[in-house]
Amino acid sequence: MKITCLGTGSPESHAKRASSGYLVEIGQDKILLDCGGGVVSRLIEMGHMPSDITHLFFTHLHSDHMMDYARLIHAAWDEGKISIPVYGPAPLARITTQLFGEDGVFSTDLKARCEFSGSKEVWVARGGTLPRPWPKPIIQEISQGHRIEGENWSLSTCEAPHAQPHLDCLAFRIEAENKTFVYSGDAAICDDVTKLSQNADLLIHWCYRLSHETKYPTVTEFSPSAAEIASMASKANVKQLLLTHIRKHMDTPTHLEQMKAEAAQNFNGEVGIAEDLLQIVI
Ligand SMILES: [Zn+2]
């Protein structure tokens, strides 16, 4: 399986890092995990089209994990793909209706594109047929303990302590071809994510703060340092660890080296910092 980091940043605007998004390619399937702001542009930069995505999964519905959701669905629709299966915590179905439903945010745009004679002519000239249906993502709301079976792959979920009770938050484990990839989403250290990460060939784990940034107790508790993440990865017998969700003030060579060094003290496997467009084959 091939994993491409499309967005390794945070909600903070940053030229070097889009918000969260990871492409997982297994056989003919192109599975997108999260779709934060900038992820669709990164996807296109890597030579993929939005309509190439076969499955979209959201760990949680913080804006930096879903800001490009509407763009992805609309762009895929523009390319002729009406339906993409989309999985994520509630209220994903409501949000999707609020975007693409009859009275949704894009309803005026969609009516214009489907009913204006000039738009219909362009659509037919591009090979489309009339009447033109609206985009219709296939929504499945998921929670902890779900397992989705794909073609020669499976995705399992567990709860990731992060922004509860305001948001349901998940971590994902993908197994295929005798390899395992785990993506923490945004997660505090906990038994469930440790268990989900057991024997993973690759763990991509969020790291939202530097080790000395301990002023705010809740942030400190729910945002493990590089060293704490590495200890968990070691306990779970992970082979390769990548830290991600890097905030702007952390993104200096000195800080990144410090994070790697602190992690390496607690972890014998390969440890690195994720970067946009980085690819890993496991
Ligand atoms: Zn979050």
Side-chain angles (χ1 to χ4, degrees):
M1 102 177 80
K2 181 157 80 178
I3 295 111
T4 305
C5 299
L6 297 175
T8 61
S10 71
E12 298 165 6
S13 300
H14 189 0
K16 278 175 61 187
R17 296 182 188 271
S19 297
S20 297
Y22 303 88
L23 178 67
V24 183
E25 294 175 75
I26 305 167
Q28 299 300 308
D29 285 343
K30 295 185 181 186
I31 304 158
L32 183 60
L33 308 181
D34 287 336
C35 194
V39 165
V40 171
S41 292
R42 294 288 196 231
L43 181 76
I44 297 163
E45 273 181 77
M46 292 307 283
H48 306 285
M49 297 300 283
S51 56
D52 292 340
I53 296 301
T54 57
H55 304 75
L56 170 60
F57 287 87
F58 289 110
T59 56
H60 63 298
L61 298 174
H62 259 151
S63 57
D64 59 316
H65 292 249
M66 62 163 298
M67 194 67 93
D68 265 9
Y69 176 37
R71 187 181 172 198
L72 181 85
I73 296 298
H74 200 291
W77 176 74
D78 181 67
E79 293 156 20
K81 188 164 189 168
I82 307 300
S83 296
I84 294 177
V86 184
Y87 307 80
L92 179 60
R94 174 168 64 77
I95 287 173
T96 303
T97 301
Q98 286 172 329
L99 289 170
F100 294 108
E102 205 176 320
D103 299 312
V105 168
F106 291 98
S107 57
T108 46
D109 168 81
L110 294 170
K111 274 179 200 149
R113 291 184 190 281
C114 294
E115 293 171 24
F116 175 60
S117 56
S119 297
K120 289 199 281 192
E121 287 167 11
V122 171
W123 178 242
V124 170
R126 292 170 66 198
T129 53
L130 298 172
R132 189 177 181 187
W134 284 24
K136 216 166 186 43
I138 303 162
I139 305 300
Q140 184 179 341
E141 291 187 342
I142 57 173
S143 54
Q144 57 178 313
H146 261 88
R147 184 181 168 94
I148 287 98
E149 298 287 345
E151 184 131 342
N152 301 319
W153 58 267
S154 67
L155 182 146
S156 318
T157 70
C158 79
E159 183 171 33
H162 176 49
Q164 290 85 345
H166 306 286
L167 293 173
D168 287 338
C169 306
L170 302 171
F172 295 149
R173 176 185 178 99
I174 298 182
E175 293 175 76
E177 302 156 349
N178 293 318
K179 297 287 181 182
T180 300
F181 164 51
V182 174
Y183 168 47
S184 70
D186 297 357
I189 300 294
C190 68
D191 289 345
D192 283 354
V193 176
T194 307
K195 200 171 148 201
L196 195 81
S197 305
Q198 200 66 38
N199 298 322
D201 296 280
L202 173 66
L203 168 64
I204 295 185
H205 200 291
W206 95 314
C207 187
Y208 187 74
R209 67 175 175 90
L210 299 166
S211 55
H212 65 271
E213 295 177 310
T214 55
K215 185 175 171 188
Y216 301 102
T218 311
V219 175
T220 304
E221 183 187 345
F222 282 86
S223 309
S225 67
E228 291 164 344
I229 295 162
S231 290
M232 182 279 266
S234 184
K235 194 173 160 191
N237 195 33
V238 166
K239 292 189 183 63
Q240 185 178 358
L241 172 64
L242 267 188
L243 303 175
T244 192
H245 208 297
I246 308 299
R247 295 167 71 196
K248 226 170 165 177
H249 75 278
M250 299 161 71
D251 203 2
T252 68
T254 307
H255 286 324
L256 298 181
E257 281 307 316
Q258 181 195 341
M259 287 165 64
K260 269 201 287 190
E262 288 173 0
Q265 285 184 354
N266 292 349
F267 183 70
N268 288 329
E270 195 179 330
V271 61
I273 310 289
E275 287 176 19
D276 283 19
L277 309 187
L278 177 70
Q279 287 193 318
I280 296 172
V281 177
I282 58 170

